[in-house]
């Protein structure tokens, strides 16, 4: 009920923020001293018309690649909002944030959106952009089919997820009027049947949005098949390189496309039968006909290969990018190719491991178990080859390199937990618990988006001609890795304790683990936003690339085809010769050896006039103490800090238990004693920048304060108390050191 | 070097964690505050099955093979419950709010057969629709943690600006790159 408005509101807010930010980033990237030009306003009608015509009619593989990537990013944000809402629901044991029905709808739409509308489109986008460059083709084999393949996706997403806009329309209309139109829109609700769409649930629930979802999935399957055909033909017929020198990413996209070609038509047929069951009274999946288990066989015969459709391009990117950041060629190239092909074939032979608990014949399940364990071998080969590639390499911790290493780690955990699931007895126990969710998210988050992001950073200079913000990127990567490990590691733990998945309610003893997992989930969400920020901001404001060898690949002889293409283009377009100055230094830096020598100034230089120092120390102390009081009183207002603690102080200095007197004493102390102490020992405290010294000083002091003013808080109150004390002291330290620093600044300028 | 790392990665990382925790506190605390006010909780919701579906579900299960369900006559229900069941019979399978006293909540939770106009309808609780129960401290602490987190996330650029300020103060005439 309320969920539709919440989700819609969040999505609209995101959209407005992003659009506003795009405008802002463009403006900031305006006229430049280096002779750059200001771009025309986005709202200019000509610009809009030209843009619309260009992007809707393009058949250039690079443009279509970008369209795919943009579409996939949008879908990821939509599905990500679902995920955040799921995790929000799980903050409390009872289903009291959203209702149970909403929770069911959320995990359904989350799964569907992520699997069908995020991963495949983004990988197809990367493939579209880079495969022609990597194999030396001019374009894809069928540029127009390529465009059609892309343009089928937006309508399929809209059909599949029409429930949300429809509910929002119904609620807005319903607030104004009532009548058949409102009912019409109100009928479509996001279905809550899980992405596996198992009958009998999916055949008996009346919601017509389920039919639309089936149609949308079918359409996206058609789109993927078109794309896959295009990749296969392109790699076979437009290739300038020989098979022996075909790069690893193209190999994996080729295999993926092969799987798509065999898997998606099957999904299409199964979906059509389900549609017929729902609407035409057929009994393919009814007990009286084929039975619900038939659906499971058909679905997973598609579904398991689908898992590898999602996963193989990620391994291709890993094998492509990792070597560039460890300075060594990919170890065992051939074996990685073989393992990719092996996975392509084997992936069709293991579907029934998703059905171990459907009372299969034990001999049958034993053979499926054997094949399923066997399919771990090619994946393990890949991992060992990656590790061997890293071994003894010259590891560079740029963002893509970090991502590669981090995601090998998460993937190993995700993969190994999968091997256990392939064993029948273990699966019988863990099936339907959070263990499964933890396992597959360690893969679907631990390698798939990570490799996409790695690719986005790695090729960013090639696509945009600019650098992304590299510090921010490294930070974002760290956040993503930590967030994933926390969130999905905890899901594994919950699974070990046999907490069932897909329930909005859970027993209260799991609450703290679930809450930590949610915090981790929000970290992932934050890191996604930081990534988006970086991509948009740097597109107009990043440092320009003036040499195609941005990653120093020539030094290790890994300057691959797509970069040569960039070098040619830079040469042709800007007449930029492929060279670089001997050394470059950033405009400013905080490293002591580099940059200006005065960056880290010495507090000793401060001491000029004792009188001035004392005076400014006192003013600083006053400012700091006042700021501190503000925080403390806020804390008192909330109820985590007890003002009565001041009264004790008053009693201590002999003025009786009066809180006001106590507070004045406190103020006086802050202005004199502690400020003077700071002046005296500032030199010996960590941090050579005065403000940092002040912060360290205040942090140390805060422990004493916390003990002295403690009034018996426990639990959340205690956490709040400590937090407020710490922040109050930081403000004190900043006020103190900041004033002194400012005073010195005034003096220097006045000299 | 260590401080460089700390300020570029450590502090913003802690800031992000705080921000995430702040979102948790803010969302939960804030939602708990507004939820009853805007009527998003309180009334439980029930689902009523059509007479045919009820028959189909019971087929082959009674009396031996399945749970023994209590029977209630619709007249026994409280007015609110009666209204909800009537509405549910009109719209089988949908969640209907019970707006008023619900003395038979326990029976609904277990699942019960309600006899109306001579036909039995299976009625269950669709959702209890509890109100979120959290400590009132959660909202302010969440907001505080969030604000602190934002400061943490913004530390690297602030610190860089501060260093630029320090340098300009020493007037070593270098350009203030940006
Ligand atoms: C931001 C990171 C993500 C978070 C916090 C998250 C969270 C969740 C949660 C809480 C569930 C429901 C678990 C249950 O109750 O059984 C779920 C299910 C699922 N997620 Fe995610 N997820 C994330 C990313 C992804 C990605 C990137 C993919 C795929 C590429 C994905 C695919 C799925 C699938 C297929 C399901 C199963 C849906 C079902 O049970 O029918 N998730 N996720
Ligand atoms: Cu499988």
């Amino acid at each position: 009920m309320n969920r539709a408005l919440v989700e819609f509101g969040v999505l609209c807010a995101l959209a407005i923020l992003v659009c506003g930010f795009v405008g802002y980033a463009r403006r900031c990237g305006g006229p430049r001293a280096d002779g750059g030009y200001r771009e025309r306003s986005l709202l200019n009608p000509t610009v809009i018309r030209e843009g619309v015509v260009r992007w809707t009619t393009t058949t250039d593989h690079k443009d279509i690649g970008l369209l795919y990537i943009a579409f996939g990013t949008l879908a990821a944000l939509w599905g990500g909002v679902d995920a955040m809402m799921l995790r929000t629901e799980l903050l409390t044991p009872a289903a009291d944030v959203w209702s149970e029905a909403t929770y069911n709808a959320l995990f359904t739409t989350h799964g569907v959106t992520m699997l069908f509308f995020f991963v495949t489109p983004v990988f197809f986008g990367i493939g579209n952009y880079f495969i022609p460059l990597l194999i030396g083709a001019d374009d894809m084999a069928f540029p127009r089919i390529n465009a059609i393949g892309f343009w089928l996706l937006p309508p399929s997403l809209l059909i599949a997820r029409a429930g949300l806009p429809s509910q929002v329309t119904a609620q807005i209309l319903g607030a104004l009027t009532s009548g058949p139109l409102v009912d019409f829109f109100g009928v479509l609700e996001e279905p809550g049947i899980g992405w596996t769409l198992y009958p009998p649930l999916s055949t008996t629930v009346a919601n017509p949005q389920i039919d639309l979802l089936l149609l949308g999935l079918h359409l996206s399957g058609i789109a993927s098949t078109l794309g896959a055909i295009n990749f296969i033909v392109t790699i076979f017929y437009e290739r300038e390189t020989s098979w022996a020198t075909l790069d690893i990413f193209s190999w994996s996209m080729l295999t993926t496309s092969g799987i798509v070609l065999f898997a998606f038509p099957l999904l299409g047929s199964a979906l059509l039968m389900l549609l017929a069951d729902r609407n035409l009274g057929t009994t393919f999946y009814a007990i009286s006909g084929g039975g619900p288990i038939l659906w499971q066989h058909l679905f997973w015969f598609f579904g398991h290969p689908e898992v590898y459709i999602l996963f193989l391009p990620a391994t291709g990117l890993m094998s492509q990018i990792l070597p560039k950041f460890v300075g060594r060629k990919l170890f065992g190239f051939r074996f990685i190719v073989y393992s990719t092909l092996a996975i392509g074939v084997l992936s069709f032979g293991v579907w029934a491991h998703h059905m171990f608990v459907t009372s299969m014949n034990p001999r049958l399940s034993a053979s499926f178990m054997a094949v399923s364990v066997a399919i771990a071998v090619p994946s393990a080969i890949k991992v060992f080859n990656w590790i061997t590639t890293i071994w003894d390499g010259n590891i560079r911790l740029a963002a893509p390199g970090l991502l590669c290493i981090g995601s090998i780690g998460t993937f190993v955990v995700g993969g190994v937990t999968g091997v256990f699931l392939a064993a029948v007895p273990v699966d019988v126990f863990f099936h339907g618990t959070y263990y499964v969710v933890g396992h597959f998210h360690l893969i679907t988050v631990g390698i798939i988006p990570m490799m996409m992001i790695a690719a986005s950073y790695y090729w960013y200079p090639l696509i945009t001609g600019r650098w992304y913000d590299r510090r921010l990127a490294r930070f974002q990567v760290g956040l993503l890795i930590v967030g994933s490990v926390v969130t999905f590691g905890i899901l594994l733990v919950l699974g070990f304790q046999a907490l069932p998945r897909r329930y909005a309610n859970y027993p209260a003893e799991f609450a703290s683990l679930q809450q930590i997992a949610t915090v981790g989930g929000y970290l992932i969400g934050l890191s996604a936003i930081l990534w988006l920020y970086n991509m948009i901001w740097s597109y107009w404001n990043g440092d320009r690339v003036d040499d195609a060898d941005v990653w120093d690949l020539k030094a290790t002889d890994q300057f691959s085809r797509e970069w040569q293409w960039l070098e040619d283009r830079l040469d042709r377009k800007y007449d930029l010769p492929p060279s670089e100055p001997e050394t470059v230094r950033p405009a400013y830096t905080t490293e002591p050896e580099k940059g200006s020598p005065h960056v880290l100034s010495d507090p000793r230089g401060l001491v000029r006039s004792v009188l001035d120092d004392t005076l400014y120390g006192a003013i600083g102390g006053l400012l700091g103490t006042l700021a501190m009081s503000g925080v403390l009183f806020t804390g008192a207002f909330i109820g985590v800090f007890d003002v009565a603690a001041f009264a004790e102080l008053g009693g201590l200095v002999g003025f009786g238990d009066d809180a006001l007197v106590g507070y004045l004493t406190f103020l006086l102390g802050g202005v004199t004693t502690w400020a003077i102490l700071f002046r005296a020992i500032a030199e010996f405290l960590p941090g050579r920048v005065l403000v940092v010294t002040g912060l360290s000083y205040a942090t140390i002091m805060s422990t004493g304060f916390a003990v002295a003013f403690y009034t018996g808080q426990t639990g959340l109150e205690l956490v709040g108390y400590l937090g407020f004390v710490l922040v109050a002291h930081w403000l004190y330290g900043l006020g103190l050191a900041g004033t002194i620093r400012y005073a010195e600044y005034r003096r220097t300028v006045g000299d | 070097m260590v401080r460089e790392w700390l300020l570029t990665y450590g502090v913003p990382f802690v800031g992000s964690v705080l921000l995430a925790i702040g979102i948790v506190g803010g969302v939960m605390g804030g939602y708990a505050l507004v939820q009853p006010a805007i009527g998003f909780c309180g009334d439980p919701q029930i689902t009523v099955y059509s007479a045919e579906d009820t028959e189909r579900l019971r087929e082959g299960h009674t009396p031996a093979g399945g749970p023994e369900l209590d029977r209630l006559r619709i007249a026994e229900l409280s007015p609110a419950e009666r209204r909800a069941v009537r509405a549910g019979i009109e719209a089988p399978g949908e969640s209907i709010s019970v707006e008023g006293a619900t003395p038979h909540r326990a029976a609904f939770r277990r699942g019960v057969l309600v006899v109306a106009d001579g036909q039995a309808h299976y009625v269950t609780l669709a959702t209890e629709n509890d109100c979120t129960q959290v400590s009132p401290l959660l909202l302010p602490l969440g907001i505080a943690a969030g604000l602190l987190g934002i400061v943490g996330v913004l530390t690297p650029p602030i610190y860089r600006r501060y260093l630029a300020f320090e340098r300009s103060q020493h007037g070593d005439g270098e350009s203030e790159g940006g």
Side-chain angles (χ1 to χ4, degrees):
Chain A
M1 167 66 186
N2 48 49
R3 170 257 170 139
L5 285 182
V6 170
E7 178 155 13
F8 195 72
V10 172
L11 286 170
C12 284
L14 258 179
I16 292 171
L17 271 178
V18 169
C19 291
F21 185 64
V22 165
Y24 177 69
R26 267 178 66 108
R27 268 241 322 261
C28 291
R32 305 190 133 250
D34 62 3
Y37 56 90
R38 178 186 275 286
E39 295 181 72
R40 285 171 299 169
S41 154
L42 263 185
L43 298 178
N44 181 331
T46 352
V47 174
I48 295 181
R49 187 154 31 79
E50 281 171 9
V52 169
V53 170
R54 162 161 181 218
W55 288 104
T56 50
T57 57
T58 179
T59 54
D60 181 80
H61 70 100
K62 297 193 294 299
D63 287 352
I64 294 181
L66 292 179
L67 282 175
Y68 263 118
I69 293 172
F71 171 84
T73 308
L74 259 166
L77 290 177
W78 195 346
V81 170
D82 286 326
M84 296 302 126
M85 291 173 71
L86 279 169
R87 291 275 19 141
T88 305
E89 167 66 60
L90 295 171
L91 279 170
T92 55
D96 48 15
V97 179
W98 326 115
S99 68
E100 289 86 343
T102 296
Y103 184 81
N104 291 350
L106 281 173
F107 70 67
T108 305
T109 53
H110 164 69
V112 168
T113 312
M114 288 299 195
L115 295 178
F116 292 93
F117 298 106
F118 160 46
V119 180
T120 320
V122 171
F123 281 140
F124 273 29
I126 298 176
N128 253 305
Y129 202 107
F130 288 103
I131 284 185
L133 301 185
L134 286 167
I135 64 177
D138 291 337
D139 201 325
M140 297 293 280
F142 309 118
R144 258 174 283 195
I145 290 187
N146 204 15
I148 296 172
F150 169 76
W151 284 107
L152 288 182
L153 282 177
S156 70
L157 175 65
L158 282 182
I159 299 173
R161 297 222 48 188
L164 181 67
S166 170
Q167 282 288 309
V168 171
T169 314
Q171 290 185 26
I172 292 174
L173 276 183
L176 305 174
T177 57
S178 63
L181 200 60
V182 180
D183 297 339
F184 173 77
F185 283 112
V187 166
L188 296 182
E189 283 179 73
E190 298 276 42
I193 54 179
W195 81 279
T196 52
L197 312 167
Y198 281 168
L201 190 60
S202 54
T203 45
T204 51
V205 174
N207 182 1
Q209 174 59 30
I210 295 177
D211 299 308
L212 292 187
L213 173 63
L214 299 181
L215 286 171
L217 290 182
H218 195 18
L219 196 59
S220 92
I222 294 172
S224 304
T225 316
L226 288 180
I229 292 173
N230 220 337
F231 280 126
I232 294 175
V233 179
T234 306
I235 293 176
F236 266 84
Y237 290 105
E238 306 286 315
R239 188 169 29 92
E240 267 188 0
T241 56
S242 70
W243 282 115
T245 54
L246 185 63
D247 65 285
I248 193 85
F249 179 63
S250 302
W251 270 114
S252 64
M253 283 306 287
L254 183 65
T255 317
T256 307
S257 304
I259 306 179
V260 168
L261 211 53
F262 288 99
F264 269 101
L266 188 102
L267 174 72
S269 324
L271 287 174
L272 287 182
M273 288 192 268
L274 189 57
L275 264 176
D277 266 14
R278 287 178 57 82
N279 297 296
L280 305 177
T282 55
T283 56
F284 293 110
Y285 307 124
I287 302 284
S288 43
I293 299 292
L294 173 63
W295 166 265
Q296 294 197 20
H297 280 295
L298 293 177
F299 182 84
W300 286 114
F301 194 81
F302 146 80
H304 191 85
E306 161 77 1
V307 173
Y308 284 96
I309 294 173
L310 307 177
F311 162 72
L312 280 181
T315 65
L317 286 175
M318 170 77 86
S319 305
Q320 186 90 359
I321 296 174
L322 180 70
K324 314 275 160 92
F325 291 86
V326 296
R328 290 188 49 173
K329 284 236 152 59
L330 185 64
F331 181 87
F333 182 94
R334 253 164 206 264
F335 289 95
I336 292 197
V337 172
Y338 293 153
S339 71
T340 305
L341 295 173
I343 286 177
V345 176
L346 281 176
S347 66
F348 284 94
V350 299
W351 78 92
H353 64 207
H354 295 271
M355 300 164 62
F356 282 154
V357 294
T358 54
S359 61
M360 269 196 277
N361 180 328
R363 262 175 297 172
L364 198 59
S365 54
S367 54
F368 273 107
M369 169 175 153
V371 187
S372 301
V373 174
I375 203 173
V377 174
S379 299
I381 290 178
K382 286 180 192 297
V383 171
F384 288 129
N385 281 323
W386 292 333
I387 293 176
T388 324
T389 308
I390 300 175
W391 196 271
D392 221 11
N394 183 8
I395 301 167
R396 244 187 313 166
L397 293 183
L402 272 178
L403 273 168
C404 288
I405 292 168
S407 82
I408 292 177
T410 37
F411 173 63
V412 167
V413 182
V416 169
T417 47
V419 177
F420 286 109
L421 280 179
V424 180
V426 180
D427 183 62
V428 168
F429 183 71
F430 282 128
H431 187 90
T433 69
Y434 269 90
Y435 180 88
V436 177
V437 188
H439 147 67
F440 74 72
H441 277 93
L442 280 168
I443 294 170
T444 57
V445 181
I447 180 162
I448 293 170
M450 284 198 194
M451 285 339 305
M452 291 173 178
I453 294 176
S456 74
Y457 287 140
Y458 173 59
W459 279 317
Y460 196 80
L462 189 152
I463 297 179
T464 64
R466 286 180 190 267
W467 272 108
Y468 57 88
D469 181 337
R470 277 155 282 176
R471 277 188 227 241
L472 184 62
R474 273 201 300 260
F475 175 66
Q476 185 261 331
V477 168
L479 205 59
L480 178 62
I481 296 175
V482 173
S484 315
V485 170
V486 168
T487 313
F488 305 117
I490 286 189
L491 295 197
L492 283 182
V493 175
L494 287 172
F496 282 131
Q497 301 176 7
L499 179 66
R501 62 191 278 216
R502 291 189 177 172
Y503 282 83
N505 296 284
Y506 58 88
E509 69 250 36
F510 297 105
S512 40
L513 281 179
Q514 289 274 28
Q515 283 157 2
I516 299 173
T518 298
V519 171
Y522 287 167
L523 286 185
I524 300 177
L526 287 176
S527 84
I529 289 176
L530 288 182
W531 172 81
L532 196 63
Y533 169 89
N534 203 346
M535 291 289 124
I536 295 177
W537 177 256
S538 310
Y539 182 75
W540 286 283
N541 299 280
D543 300 337
R544 278 183 196 280
V545 169
D546 52 11
D547 173 25
D549 190 13
V550 288
W551 295 112
D552 285 335
L553 298 178
K554 285 179 179 166
T556 50
D557 192 24
Q558 304 206 57
F559 195 68
S560 42
R561 271 194 109 100
E562 80 276 27
W563 295 108
Q564 280 157 21
W565 171 84
L566 176 67
E567 187 157 82
D568 290 348
R569 196 176 63 159
L570 287 179
D571 192 14
R572 253 182 288 123
K573 203 165 160 193
Y574 304 112
D575 217 6
L576 277 178
S579 73
E580 206 186 349
E582 202 63 53
T583 52
V584 282
R585 187 168 77 64
Y588 59 81
T589 165
T590 55
E591 279 177 48
E593 294 81 23
K594 293 191 201 159
S596 68
H598 293 293
V599 163
L600 304 166
S601 67
D602 204 318
R604 263 171 306 184
L606 294 178
V607 190
R608 291 209 184 164
S609 144
V610 179
L611 202 67
D612 272 6
D613 272 352
T614 323
L615 181 63
Y616 284 121
I619 297 177
L622 181 65
L623 286 179
T625 319
L626 286 178
M628 186 176 176
S629 315
V631 174
L632 286 180
F633 286 127
T634 313
F637 179 70
I638 294 172
V640 293
F641 179 76
D642 194 351
V643 193
F646 282 131
E648 278 177 35
L649 185 63
L652 208 65
V653 291
F655 286 111
D657 283 353
D658 186 346
L660 185 66
V661 174
Y663 175 67
L664 289 178
T665 317
F666 163 77
L667 205 62
L668 197 68
V671 174
T672 56
T673 321
W674 300 113
I676 293 170
L677 190 63
F678 174 65
R679 297 293 306 115
I681 62 173
E683 277 177 48
F684 307 105
L685 288 167
R688 285 164 67 196
V689 177
L690 195 63
V691 167
V692 177
T693 315
L695 284 174
S696 324
Y697 175 65
T699 310
I700 297 169
M701 266 172 48
S702 71
T703 49
F705 182 96
V707 174
F709 284 72
Y710 176 67
T711 47
Q713 294 92 335
T714 52
L716 259 190
E717 272 186 11
L718 182 61
V719 174
Y721 170 69
L722 294 177
F724 273 81
V725 166
L726 200 60
V727 173
H729 279 80
W730 284 342
L731 282 185
Y732 178 69
L734 277 181
L736 187 60
T739 312
I740 295 173
R741 172 50 91 218
Y742 179 69
E744 204 228 355
Y745 163 69
R746 288 292 304 273
R747 249 182 296 161
T748 334
V749 172
D751 276 349
Chain B
M1 197 55 210
V2 172
R3 176 148 39 84
E4 149 90 346
W5 269 79
L6 196 70
L7 283 169
T8 322
Y9 302 111
V11 173
F13 175 73
V14 176
S16 309
V17 174
L18 278 176
L19 187 55
I21 293 175
I23 297 174
V24 169
V27 168
M28 291 309 287
Y31 191 66
L33 218 61
V34 298
Q35 195 188 17
I38 50 183
F40 280 171
C41 64
D43 297 333
Q45 296 186 338
I46 56 170
T47 300
V48 181
Y49 285 66
S50 66
E52 301 83 63
D53 278 344
T54 307
E55 262 322 296
R56 203 170 45 74
L57 289 174
R58 276 156 45 82
E59 219 171 280
H61 280 308
T62 37
E68 197 52 55
L69 291 174
D70 295 334
R71 272 172 187 270
L72 290 172
R73 270 175 294 112
I74 191 150
E76 293 172 49
L77 302 179
S78 77
E81 290 171 340
R82 213 174 309 145
R83 241 178 295 130
V85 171
R86 287 272 176 224
I89 294 173
E90 296 295 310
E94 281 179 29
S95 305
I96 314 275
S97 296
V98 185
E99 288 158 9
T102 322
H104 294 95
R105 188 192 277 246
F108 290 149
R109 192 180 292 126
R110 179 165 183 268
V112 65
L113 292 172
V114 174
V115 186
D117 310 325
Q119 287 183 313
H121 294 269
Y122 180 59
V123 179
T124 66
L125 207 56
T127 160
E128 301 246 21
N129 220 2
D130 293 327
C131 295
T132 314
Q133 298 291 336
V134 292
S135 154
L137 268 185
L138 205 59
L139 179 62
L141 286 189
I143 294 174
L147 290 177
L148 193 58
I150 291 175
V151 174
V153 173
L154 293 181
T155 298
I158 294 173
Y159 184 64
R160 278 201 287 278
R161 287 215 176 165
Y162 176 73
L163 287 179
F165 160 77
E166 288 255 291
R167 207 187 41 227
S168 71
Q169 164 196 352
H170 289 279
D172 50 7
E174 264 184 63
S175 75
E176 275 187 47

